[in-house]
Amino acid sequence: MKSMADVILILKERNIMQIRIVKLRLLILTSIAIFLSGCSISDWYNGYYVERSANKEIQKKVDDYYNSESPQMQELRKQNQAYCLNLAAKPENRIAKDDYPNGLFNQPMFSRCMIDRGTPTYESYGGVLQRKHDEELRAKGKRVM
């Protein structure tokens, strides 16, 4: 017959083995749960992927807009851009805003200057087209809101 001490040692070894298996299973389950909750496919698709594809699409449209211009128009755009940037960046034309002691770059003035000089930027081009469309409708006698 086995002694009492041998029986106790055998039971402790079984307990230790069971605890190690349980700890290993708990570790695996916890790591899988953390991985799946932190990286869900819908978050990736709706966040990162959609934003990246939208940026690519808009950049392609911007490139198409500027590349479709004639070489003379591109040269005129460079001259107008230098002039309008200088005009909008002058200290007296800066937009006063709290927490900005030197003011902010006057983007509306830059856009208006580029439109007035005949080379609208891509961002302001949609507004130019809308104004032309509204003028055409007014010329036909239709009301435009």
Side-chain angles (χ1 to χ4, degrees):
M1 210 163 138
K2 294 184 178 179
S3 70
M4 190 64 157
D6 290 337
V7 172
I8 292 175
L9 285 175
I10 291 172
L11 288 176
K12 281 186 179 180
E13 286 178 17
R14 284 186 185 167
N15 261 350
I16 291 172
M17 291 301 290
Q18 288 176 352
I19 290 173
R20 285 184 185 162
I21 291 172
V22 169
K23 283 184 179 180
L24 182 62
R25 287 181 184 168
L26 184 62
L27 177 68
I28 291 171
L29 288 174
T30 305
S31 60
I32 289 172
I34 289 172
F35 175 74
L36 291 177
S37 67
C39 180
S40 71
I41 192 71
S42 65
D43 289 345
W44 176 81
Y45 184 79
N46 291 332
Y48 175 75
Y49 175 75
V50 173
E51 183 178 333
R52 185 182 63 169
S53 64
N55 287 340
K56 281 183 181 179
E57 184 178 323
I58 288 179
Q59 189 60 43
K60 185 176 185 273
K61 288 180 181 179
V62 169
D63 291 343
D64 291 345
Y65 174 74
Y66 289 122
N67 292 335
S68 67
E69 294 178 337
S70 66
Q72 296 84 8
M73 190 65 139
Q74 289 177 353
E75 186 61 35
L76 179 63
R77 177 176 296 285
K78 286 180 187 177
Q79 293 171 355
N80 289 346
Q81 189 169 9
Y83 173 77
C84 293
L85 278 172
N86 188 22
L87 181 68
K90 286 185 177 179
E92 61 268 15
N93 293 333
R94 290 180 173 261
I95 298 173
K97 192 169 183 180
D98 293 343
D99 298 331
Y100 295 95
N102 296 331
L104 294 174
F105 178 77
N106 197 338
Q107 181 66 34
M109 180 181 274
F110 173 77
S111 297
R112 186 78 247 165
C113 176
M114 292 293 282
I115 291 169
D116 291 343
R117 295 177 71 84
T119 53
T121 60
Y122 177 78
E123 292 81 14
S124 61
Y125 184 66
V128 170
L129 289 180
Q130 183 64 42
R131 282 192 291 279
K132 285 183 181 179
H133 179 70
D134 291 348
E135 289 171 5
E136 289 173 3
L137 290 178
R138 284 188 191 101
K140 291 179 182 177
K142 296 183 180 179
R143 265 178 50 177
V144 177
M145 296 286 175

